């Protein structure tokens, strides 16, 4: 039977072999593949392919609208891919839709630990982007307790305590009574009918 010897740009790819298949992973644009076939009778025949077109793999990258990839549950995040002409986004390996030319993917449904990637494709070649791993914090459950009386005299201080968060902002009739701080007690005189509420904040999430 025939044996074959393969060449790339005239450089031998090994000794003659009975295999009629050649697999290469290091081809470059413009490379020319040729093969010399040797028959059992000593005859030879050379075949040369046209120069190959080798397209570069896209350099696919992914960034998010949140700089540190830490959000509160329910926050919307925009993901922007670049480096290719077509993109398919994934969360934890699950496709979020078919490939398309839109480089932006938005979601408000991330959970703690979710991993987002994108596969970029250009000229038939595909690569996977960097991973973006998200930390998703829940909102604190804040409670407000009255340590004093429900009825006080004019000019008398109230005595309230908030629990359930790291920082607090007390409000009188929906107007903030100072900035967020670790102080969880509220002592101040009130007017008849005033309503005191409190916002609690933990990990940047306030409720």
């Amino acid at each position: 039977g025939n044996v074959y010897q393969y060449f790339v740009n005239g450089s031998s790819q090994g000794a003659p072999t009975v295999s009629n298949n050649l697999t290469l992973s290091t081809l470059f644009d413009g490379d020319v593949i040729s093969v010399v076939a040797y028959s059992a009778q000593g005859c030879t025949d050379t075949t040369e392919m046209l120069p190959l077109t080798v397209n570069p793999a896209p350099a696919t990258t992914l960034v998010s609208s949140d700089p540190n990839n830490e959000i509160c549950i329910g926050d919307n995040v925009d993901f922007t891919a670049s480096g290719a002409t077509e993109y398919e986004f994934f969360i934890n390996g699950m496709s979020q839709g078919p490939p398309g030319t839109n480089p932006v993917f938005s979601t408000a449904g991330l959970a703690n630990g979710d991993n987002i990637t994108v596969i970029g494709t250009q000229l038939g070649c595909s690569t996977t982007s960097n991973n973006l791993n998200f930390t998703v914090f829940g909102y604190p459950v804040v409670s407000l307790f009255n340590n004093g009386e429900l009825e006080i005299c004019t000019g008398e201080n109230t005595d309230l305590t908030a629990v359930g968060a790291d920082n607090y902002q007390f409000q009188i009739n929906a107007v903030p009574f100072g900035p967020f701080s670790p102080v969880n007690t509220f002592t101040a005189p009130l007017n008849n009918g005033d309503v005191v509420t409190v916002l609690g904040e933990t990990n940047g999430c306030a409720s």
Side-chain angles (χ1 to χ4, degrees):
N2 292 339
V3 294
Y4 307 91
Q5 188 171 17
Y6 300 94
F7 297 84
V8 176
N9 301 326
S11 177
S12 174
Q13 301 303 294
T17 174
V18 295
S19 174
N20 62 351
N21 291 297
L22 175 67
T23 301
L24 298 171
S25 60
T26 57
L27 292 173
F28 297 96
D29 192 45
D31 280 351
V32 175
I33 310 298
S34 59
V35 58
V36 177
Y38 302 90
S39 71
Q41 292 74 33
C43 300
T44 63
D45 182 48
T46 301
T47 299
E48 185 174 282
M49 295 176 58
L50 292 173
L52 291 172
T53 298
V54 180
N55 295 317
T60 307
T61 59
L62 182 66
V63 297
S64 82
S65 57
D66 188 84
N68 62 359
N69 298 335
E70 294 183 354
I71 62 171
C72 303
I73 191 168
D75 283 356
N76 187 77
V77 182
D78 296 326
F79 295 93
T80 302
S82 61
T85 55
E86 197 170 65
Y87 305 96
E88 183 177 4
F89 293 88
F90 296 81
I91 298 178
N92 302 327
M94 298 289 294
S95 176
Q96 301 302 296
T101 57
N102 186 1
V104 178
F105 166 69
S106 300
T107 181
L110 292 177
N112 189 42
D114 277 352
N115 186 274
I116 298 86
T117 56
V118 62
I119 292 179
T121 302
Q122 183 170 282
L123 299 174
C125 302
S126 299
T127 57
T128 301
S129 73
N130 51 299
N131 299 326
L132 296 181
N133 190 269
F134 265 74
T135 299
V136 180
F137 297 109
Y139 288 96
V141 178
V142 181
S143 300
L144 183 63
F145 298 98
N146 182 10
N147 302 312
E149 302 291 333
L150 293 177
E151 294 184 8
I152 59 176
C153 300
T154 301
E156 183 181 356
N157 286 343
T158 186
D159 183 10
L160 306 177
T161 300
V163 296
D166 291 338
N167 298 292
Y168 303 90
Q169 183 188 62
F170 292 91
Q171 300 182 351
I172 301 176
N173 303 323
V175 177
F177 190 81
F180 279 95
S181 81
V183 177
N184 70 330
T185 56
F186 177 81
T187 302
L190 298 173
N191 297 314
N192 188 41
D194 280 349
V195 176
V196 179
T197 55
V198 63
L199 290 175
E201 180 271 326
T202 299
N203 296 315
C205 303
S207 66

